[in-house]
Amino acid sequence: MELQFECDEGLGSRAALGLIVLQADETIEKEFRPLFDLEDVVLYHSRIPSDPEVNEETLMRMKAGLTDTAALLPGNRPLDVIGYACTSASTVIGSEAVETAIRKAHPNARVTNPAVAVVTALKHLGVTRVGVVTPYIAEVSEAVVDLLRKAGLDPVRVGSFGQSEEATVARITPQSVEQAVQAVGDDPEVEAVFASCTNLRTFPVIEACEQRLAKPVISSNLALAWHMMKLAALKTAGAGPGKLFDS
């Protein structure tokens, strides 16, 4: 018996997005899920092999796998935006190289990553003097700070948990993140605080930190989600926590 059927536009008729997630990342998918649970919007994930240790050498290794990982995202319809969810690797590899590798698999997609997104978000908020919280060892933290400087931003205060293991970063409590953000953000020269790393749990504490500090607080995940929405022409006002999503 041959059954009859009809076809519609399928999922993602409003926006179809892709997200390349590190194998070692345990956080970003949970933080992204409620933001992208929108009518006619779909977010596909692909995992890229990543080392459990975070240093410049292991981060650079991911460059070779970006095209093949992006190719695992659905391609039957053009994806509007693809995000590469690693702040430190995007910084070390370089955003242009990341975009070139991903667009070999999806030439029509717009591409972003947390390194691009956080600079765009900070400039959108109109701030230049930034406090930075990272979970990284010194060489990786310094690369992120240098990225901000090259973008014309001034990292006036930097604090780090000094960790190289992704598993440890994913288990740093939101309360510890909150305390770190407040310690860095209490500096009167700091206009906004950036908490770096997609594996760091930040969404539960962003609004409390902003209320305590009376200044914007953004994280890698928050900036990346916001920028992907902007690139996909999705409404951002009220879509997520914090001042970044106020407009």
Side-chain angles (χ1 to χ4, degrees):
M1 177 182 179
E2 183 172 339
L3 301 175
Q4 300 299 308
F5 64 91
E6 296 179 350
C7 290
D8 59 17
E9 295 183 16
L11 296 172
S13 59
R14 183 175 163 207
L17 313 173
L19 186 67
I20 296 175
V21 182
L22 270 58
Q23 179 183 359
D25 196 308
E26 302 177 41
T27 303
I28 191 169
E29 288 157 315
K30 178 177 174 58
E31 294 200 332
F32 265 38
R33 192 170 295 120
L35 274 65
F36 289 94
D37 185 17
L38 304 169
E39 186 175 357
D40 298 325
V41 174
V42 65
L43 177 63
Y44 300 112
H45 300 168
S46 182
R47 290 267 178 171
I48 187 168
S50 60
D51 199 282
E53 294 285 326
V54 181
N55 57 56
E56 289 192 353
E57 180 182 353
T58 60
L59 293 168
M60 184 58 75
R61 285 180 198 157
M62 279 188 277
K63 181 179 179 181
L66 277 168
T67 301
D68 287 345
T69 302
L72 295 174
L73 292 165
N76 290 328
R77 69 183 310 154
L79 295 180
D80 298 294
V81 180
I82 298 175
Y84 172 45
C86 187
T87 317
S88 51
S90 299
T91 301
V92 171
I93 295 169
S95 294
E96 289 186 8
V98 168
E99 180 171 357
T100 296
I102 290 173
R103 294 191 70 184
K104 286 180 181 178
H106 294 272
N108 297 316
R110 304 187 74 177
V111 177
T112 185
N113 64 71
V116 169
V118 68
V119 170
T120 305
L122 289 168
K123 291 185 176 182
H124 173 79
L125 291 168
V127 301
T128 56
R129 297 190 300 276
V130 186
V132 183
V133 173
T134 90
Y136 315 123
I137 58 175
E139 68 177 33
V140 180
S141 294
E142 288 165 7
V144 172
V145 168
D146 189 51
L147 169 81
L148 297 175
R149 288 198 180 106
K150 288 178 178 177
L153 300 165
D154 184 9
V156 295
R157 189 173 178 86
V158 181
S160 174
F161 295 120
Q163 298 302 306
S164 64
E165 294 185 3
E166 289 279 11
T168 301
V169 174
R171 283 156 184 77
I172 295 173
T173 66
Q175 291 75 22
S176 295
V177 174
E178 182 175 4
Q179 291 168 4
V181 168
Q182 291 182 359
V184 168
D186 271 334
D187 187 323
E189 291 191 13
V190 170
E191 297 174 327
V193 180
F194 166 47
S196 184
C197 188
T198 62
N199 221 350
L200 204 60
R201 287 176 282 167
T202 58
F203 278 28
V205 302
I206 283 172
E207 291 188 339
C209 287
E210 288 189 339
Q211 290 173 6
R212 164 71 173 76
L213 297 170
K215 56 188 71 172
V217 175
I218 64 173
S219 67
S220 293
N221 290 349
L222 194 77
L224 182 59
W226 172 84
H227 198 219
M228 289 178 68
M229 287 181 170
K230 285 286 189 185
L231 292 175
L234 296 173
K235 178 183 176 182
T236 58
K243 295 181 184 298
L244 183 60
F245 279 94
D246 282 349
S247 61

